[in-house]
Amino acid sequence: MKKLIVANWKMNPDRFSKAELLVNAVQKKAALEKNVKIVLCLPYPWLTDISHKKYKGLNFGAQNVFWENNGAYTGEVSPTMLKNSGVEYVIIGHSERRRLGETDEIINKKIKATLKAGLKPILCVGEHLETRKKGLAAAKNFVKDQLNKDLKNLPTTNYSLLVTRLIVAYEPIWAISTNKNARPDKPEDSLEMIQFIKSILASKPYTLNPRVLYGGSVTSQNAKSFLQYKEIDGALVGGASLKAEEFNKITVIANNANKA
Ligand code: PGA
């Protein structure tokens, strides 16, 4: 399976022209890399203009979505709108949204709605520093609880094919945007957590073989230490995805890890 590298641009950049420049710079390299799948998750105002065009080698995603498809929901964007705009992926439950009040119950509704609309949700889970300080076992319990709540009661009939679209990103909150090369954990810890997440997902009746990504200050310096493991199916990249050269280095590492 190709590694999946997802760029989370967050609330950047501030102009369409800058977004277009960045997409073009990533695309030049993407067209050359055959063993990696690249998804760019852009802010809404730039997303649909860009996703309507065809950029060879690139796929597009949103960073959020609502759970209803139409109605009186001022300011919201529906799964169907995204699907009809050529958007294929959507990040759901990012810790930066959870921090603003998004609950597991809301995330659960969003997962169901996006799967039904034929989108590929990238569900983010991950523990806080206080939990991690208690050890890896405590972190695993926290993540297990999130997964169980976020994926609660997905219909099992006529649904299994849709559920294969699910992607999970393990993003320990304490590792996001720290930009530290010297991290308090070892890459093997993330591997162990990702294996654990896969074992939970495998035990559910509706899940086949979801990709599980790692996220949290991934750079060209540390990408190989995660992507070298075949169990880590890719990366969710924030800050480093805003610099084309840096992001392209990460996609090359993913491309080569897959061939190795
Ligand atoms: P980061 O962000 O790579 O800047 O840590 C990752 C994320 O928040 O998805």
Side-chain angles (χ1 to χ4, degrees), residues 226-244:
F226 300 106
L227 297 172
Q228 64 179 325
Y229 298 111
K230 68 173 182 345
E231 294 86 350
I232 301 186
D233 299 310
L236 180 51
V237 186
S241 72
L242 292 169
K243 295 171 225 127

Side-chain angles (χ1 to χ4, degrees), residues 56-73:
K56 193 168 180 289
L58 295 183
N59 306 276
F60 293 96
Q63 299 170 14
N64 184 31
V65 68
F66 195 57
W67 61 82
E68 295 287 352
N69 273 323
N70 42 50
Y73 300 105

Side-chain angles (χ1 to χ4, degrees), residues 8 10 94 96 171 175-179 215-218 236-240:
N8 176 11
K10 308 194 180 184
H94 192 282
E96 288 158 10
E171 295 206 305
I176 295 177
S177 305
T178 54
N179 299 321
S217 299
V218 173
L236 180 51
V237 186

Side-chain angles (χ1 to χ4, degrees), residues 118-178:
L119 294 164
K120 295 174 182 159
I122 303 168
L123 168 64
C124 299
V125 293
E127 78 284 359
H128 300 92
L129 185 58
E130 310 85 75
T131 307
R132 182 55 171 240
K133 278 183 179 160
K134 292 180 195 153
L136 200 54
K140 282 181 177 173
N141 276 338
F142 184 93
V143 167
K144 183 178 181 181
D145 186 55
Q146 277 186 324
L147 283 171
N148 285 335
K149 288 177 179 158
D150 298 345
L151 301 176
K152 195 173 162 195
N153 293 338
L154 298 193
T156 51
T157 48
N158 301 326
Y159 210 63
S160 53
L161 260 182
L162 292 182
V163 177
T164 61
R165 296 166 186 266
L166 176 71
I167 296 156
V168 174
Y170 169 57
E171 295 206 305
I173 297 172
W174 46 269
I176 295 177
S177 305
T178 54

Side-chain angles (χ1 to χ4, degrees), residues 184-203:
D185 65 330
K186 304 183 284 314
E188 302 90 86
D189 294 350
S190 311
L191 173 66
E192 189 173 331
M193 180 63 96
I194 283 177
Q195 284 171 326
F196 175 70
I197 290 172
K198 286 189 169 181
S199 72
I200 293 172
L201 296 172
S203 70

Side-chain angles (χ1 to χ4, degrees), residues 206-217:
Y206 43 75
T207 311
L208 296 175
N209 191 15
R211 288 182 204 242
V212 183
L213 317 178
Y214 176 77
S217 299

